[in-house]
């Protein structure tokens, strides 16, 4: 069984979740140590109202900042602590630690962030990352911490709707034997919203989603 949904940030501030067909919505909450999405609470309330599964994510190194993983994890949880247990927690890792190229130091940072989130909430976050980076680095330490993978890979940038079996390469997902979720386009189009959306597949049921949210 699979669920179909979207991930959003302040770029989708005008989105009315009730008008868009989704099983789940993943909302940007924070970034670095100085950014809080001003529409996070609004969209969270909408998602609850319309009974969608919910995720909340933190964007690492917002605005090319360099902070410790523990400090960013603390900042994330401080701002979403009232939602812990009701939403999947996610680390969005798109900016290398040195702002040039990904290295083993990025793996160590991710491991430390996830460990701190687990310590604070008893919930293990999911990691969002480009599939090419997942394939290139050794994430064994992260996998052993039971961190689920949400990877991104696009066939192209053509507008599209939900797809049951979207294109992806056949090169695997590195240290992970399988993935929890797949973001397959950033130019998704759904009725009820006039603009691009990131479209995602979650490989599991609503019960499985709740296990990620509450802690396995």
């Amino acid at each position: 069984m699979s669920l179909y949904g979207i991930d959003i940030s302040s770029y989708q501030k005008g989105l009315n979740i009730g008008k868009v067909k989704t099983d789940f919505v993943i909302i940007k909450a924070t970034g670095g140590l100085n950014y809080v999405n001003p529409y996070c609470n609004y969209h969270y309330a909408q998602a609850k109202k319309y009974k969608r599964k919910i995720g909340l994510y933190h964007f690492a190194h917002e605005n090319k900042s360099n902070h410790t993983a523990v400090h960013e994890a603390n900042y994330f949880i401080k701002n979403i602590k009232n939602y812990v247990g009701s939403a999947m927690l996610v680390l969005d890792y798109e900016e290398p630690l040195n702002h040039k190229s990904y290295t083993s130091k990025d793996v160590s940072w991710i491991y430390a962030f996830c460990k701190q989130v687990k310590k604070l909430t008893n919930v293990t976050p999911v990691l969002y990352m480009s599939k090419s980076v997942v394939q290139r680095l050794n994430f064994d330490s992260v996998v052993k911490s039971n961190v689920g993978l949400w990877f991104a890979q696009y066939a192209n940038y053509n507008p599209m709707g939900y797809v049951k079996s979207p294109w992806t390469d056949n090169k695997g997902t590195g240290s992970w034997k399988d993935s929890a979720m797949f973001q397959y386009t950033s130019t998704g189009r759904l009725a009820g919203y006039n603009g691009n959306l990131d479209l995602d597949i979650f490989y599991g049921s609503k019960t499985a989603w709740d296990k990620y949210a509450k802690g396995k």
Side-chain angles (χ1 to χ4, degrees):
M1 180 178 182
S2 297
L3 305 179
Y4 298 86
I6 60 176
D7 60 275
I8 61 175
S9 67
S10 60
Y11 289 110
Q12 288 81 31
K13 62 184 180 180
L15 173 70
N16 184 332
I17 291 173
K19 294 184 178 180
V20 179
K21 183 178 180 181
T22 62
D23 294 317
F24 63 85
V25 181
I26 303 176
I27 307 162
K28 181 175 183 179
T30 55
L33 288 182
N34 56 13
Y35 178 80
V36 175
N37 176 9
Y39 303 95
C40 179
N41 291 335
Y42 169 70
H43 279 134
Y44 181 95
Q46 278 194 336
K48 289 289 287 186
K49 177 181 179 180
Y50 294 107
K51 298 181 179 180
R52 311 298 164 81
K53 293 302 177 184
I54 304 172
L56 295 171
Y57 74 85
H58 174 82
F59 189 93
H61 318 311
E62 181 89 10
N63 296 321
K64 295 186 180 296
S65 59
N66 272 330
H67 304 295
T68 70
V70 169
H71 284 156
E72 290 207 24
N74 290 344
Y75 182 75
F76 176 44
I77 300 306
K78 176 184 177 181
N79 282 283
I80 57 93
K81 60 184 179 182
N82 292 334
Y83 299 147
V84 172
S86 64
M88 178 190 290
L89 306 181
V90 179
L91 169 62
D92 181 343
Y93 205 89
E94 300 180 45
E95 177 67 39
L97 191 58
N98 64 12
H99 310 304
K100 295 179 181 179
S101 60
Y102 293 95
T103 70
S104 60
K105 290 183 179 180
D106 292 288
V107 177
S108 297
W109 198 100
I110 290 166
Y111 173 84
F113 180 98
C114 294
K115 181 180 179 181
Q116 182 67 2
V117 169
K118 172 72 173 179
K119 177 182 178 181
L120 294 173
T121 66
N122 203 34
V123 175
T124 302
V126 170
L127 171 65
Y128 169 90
M129 220 172 186
S130 167
K131 191 177 184 182
S132 62
V133 181
V134 169
Q135 293 166 340
R136 192 159 68 244
L137 298 177
N138 185 332
F139 287 90
D140 287 357
S141 61
V142 179
V143 173
K144 289 177 181 177
S145 298
N146 295 315
V147 174
L149 174 65
W150 171 20
F151 74 86
Q153 187 176 55
Y154 309 154
N156 51 55
Y157 291 93
N158 296 332
M160 67 178 72
Y162 290 131
V163 179
K164 290 184 177 181
S165 298
W167 175 89
T168 183
D169 63 31
N170 295 315
K171 298 178 181 179
T173 48
S175 297
W176 284 270
K177 292 183 179 179
D178 50 36
S179 60
M181 196 153 39
F182 175 22
Q183 182 193 89
Y184 58 90
T185 184
S186 60
T187 51
R189 299 294 176 85
L190 298 176
Y193 181 71
N194 185 27
N196 289 328
L197 292 166
D198 294 341
L199 300 186
D200 308 278
I201 297 177
F202 174 73
Y203 296 112
S205 63
K206 292 182 178 180
T207 299
W209 185 285
D210 290 341
K211 288 182 179 179
Y212 279 101
K214 296 175 181 178
K216 293 183 179 179

